[in-house]
Amino acid sequence: MEEKNTSVTFRFPTKEYKTLKKIAKNEKISLNALVNNMISRFLQWDMIVQKAGWIVFHKNTMKEILQCVDDDKLKEIAERAAEYLKDITLLMSGTTDLESCLEVLRNKTMNSGFVIMESEHENNRRIVFHHGMGRKWSSFFKTHYEKMLEDLGHPVRCEITNNTLVLDILPDGV
C-alpha cells in the first residue's frame, strides 16, 4: 500500500531557506526531498538518540581512548554494550526483532559518517561497514554485533580489517 503524502506550508527565515536551497542544489536533489530527508532523520534518529544515552564524540579522541584499552577489557565492554542495545532498540523502534536492530545499526552507521553496504553473499545476508577508525574499533564492534545477533538467535560470521567490519548473518540452523 502506497503511503499518502500531505501538503503543508512552512515559513523559514530567508537565510535558512537560501542555505537549504544551496544544499539541495549541491546534493542534486529537490528542496522537497532534502526537507523530507531532514525530517525523517530527525524522527528516526536525532529526536531519540540523546534520550537513549548517546553523545557526540570526536572520532580522533575515540581512537586514542581505544588504544589505551587492552583487548580483554575491550571485549568485556563490547559484550555489555550489546546487552543494553536491546533496550535502545526497543526505545528507538518499539520492538527488538532482527530488522529493528539492523535499522538502528544502519542509522547509527550512517549518522556517524561511516559507509554501510548490504548484499546477499553465499546465501548469507552480508553487511559491510567501513569506518576508518582502526583495528580496535573493528574488534569492538565485531564482538558487539556477534553478541547482539547471537542473542537474537541469528548465527553470524565476522571478519575485520583495520577499517572495515564484515558481518555475514547466516541462515537459521547453520
Side-chain angles (χ1 to χ4, degrees), residues 56-103:
V56 176
F57 219 84
H58 196 277
K59 62 193 229 179
N60 288 337
T61 304
M62 181 55 72
K63 285 165 67 172
E64 285 187 46
I65 290 169
L66 287 173
Q67 291 307 314
C68 298
V69 178
D70 69 59
D71 291 343
D72 291 336
K73 187 66 171 175
L74 191 67
K75 183 175 181 175
E76 179 185 320
I77 294 168
E79 288 174 349
R80 275 199 314 270
E83 290 171 8
Y84 59 76
L85 184 62
K86 191 172 191 176
D87 291 330
I88 292 169
T89 302
L90 187 59
L91 174 67
M92 295 184 83
S93 67
T95 185
T96 58
D97 61 6
L98 176 64
E99 289 309 315
S100 296
C101 288
L102 292 178
E103 187 61 26

Side-chain angles (χ1 to χ4, degrees), residues 5-13 17 31-32 35-36 39:
N5 290 321
T6 303
S7 291
V8 295
T9 302
F10 292 103
R11 296 188 197 292
F12 290 97
Y17 173 72
L31 181 58
N32 186 69
V35 172
N36 278 322
I39 291 169

Side-chain angles (χ1 to χ4, degrees), residues 124 146 149-150 152-157 168-174:
N124 304 323
E146 279 176 334
L149 291 165
E150 288 171 2
L152 288 170
H154 295 278
V156 62
R157 183 176 55 233
D168 282 317
I169 302 172
L170 307 173
D172 291 338
V174 173

Side-chain angles (χ1 to χ4, degrees), residues 5-170:
N5 290 321
T6 303
S7 291
V8 295
T9 302
F10 292 103
R11 296 188 197 292
F12 290 97
T14 302
K15 182 179 175 185
E16 280 79 2
Y17 173 72
K18 287 180 179 179
T19 301
L20 290 172
K21 280 186 69 167
K22 186 176 181 179
I23 292 168
K25 183 179 179 183
N26 289 342
E27 297 285 323
K28 294 181 172 69
I29 60 174
S30 70
L31 181 58
N32 186 69
L34 175 67
V35 172
N36 278 322
N37 290 343
M38 293 168 61
I39 291 169
S40 291
R41 177 183 166 156
F42 173 79
L43 293 172
Q44 294 172 6
W45 186 256
D46 296 337
M47 181 176 83
I48 302 168
V49 293
Q50 202 172 31
K51 293 174 185 166
W54 292 1
I55 60 171
V56 176
F57 219 84
H58 196 277
K59 62 193 229 179
N60 288 337
T61 304
M62 181 55 72
K63 285 165 67 172
E64 285 187 46
I65 290 169
L66 287 173
Q67 291 307 314
C68 298
V69 178
D70 69 59
D71 291 343
D72 291 336
K73 187 66 171 175
L74 191 67
K75 183 175 181 175
E76 179 185 320
I77 294 168
E79 288 174 349
R80 275 199 314 270
E83 290 171 8
Y84 59 76
L85 184 62
K86 191 172 191 176
D87 291 330
I88 292 169
T89 302
L90 187 59
L91 174 67
M92 295 184 83
S93 67
T95 185
T96 58
D97 61 6
L98 176 64
E99 289 309 315
S100 296
C101 288
L102 292 178
E103 187 61 26
V104 169
L105 183 150
R106 281 183 208 100
N107 282 330
K108 182 178 73 162
T109 301
M110 290 185 294
N111 285 295
S112 296
F114 302 150
V115 176
I116 183 170
M117 295 176 57
E118 296 182 56
S119 63
E120 293 295 318
H121 181 76
E122 298 175 0
N123 296 322
N124 304 323
R125 185 173 187 171
R126 174 166 275 190
I127 305 173
V128 178
F129 306 90
H130 180 76
H131 51 75
M133 293 285 291
R135 183 162 288 279
K136 292 246 182 177
W137 188 269
S138 291
S139 295
F140 177 90
F141 280 103
K142 174 186 183 292
T143 300
H144 180 74
Y145 292 136
E146 279 176 334
K147 175 146 181 51
M148 177 197 82
L149 291 165
E150 288 171 2
D151 285 353
L152 288 170
H154 295 278
V156 62
R157 183 176 55 233
C158 300
E159 298 174 42
I160 63 170
T161 69
N162 285 341
N163 295 301
T164 303
L165 167 65
V166 178
L167 299 177
D168 282 317
I169 302 172
L170 307 173

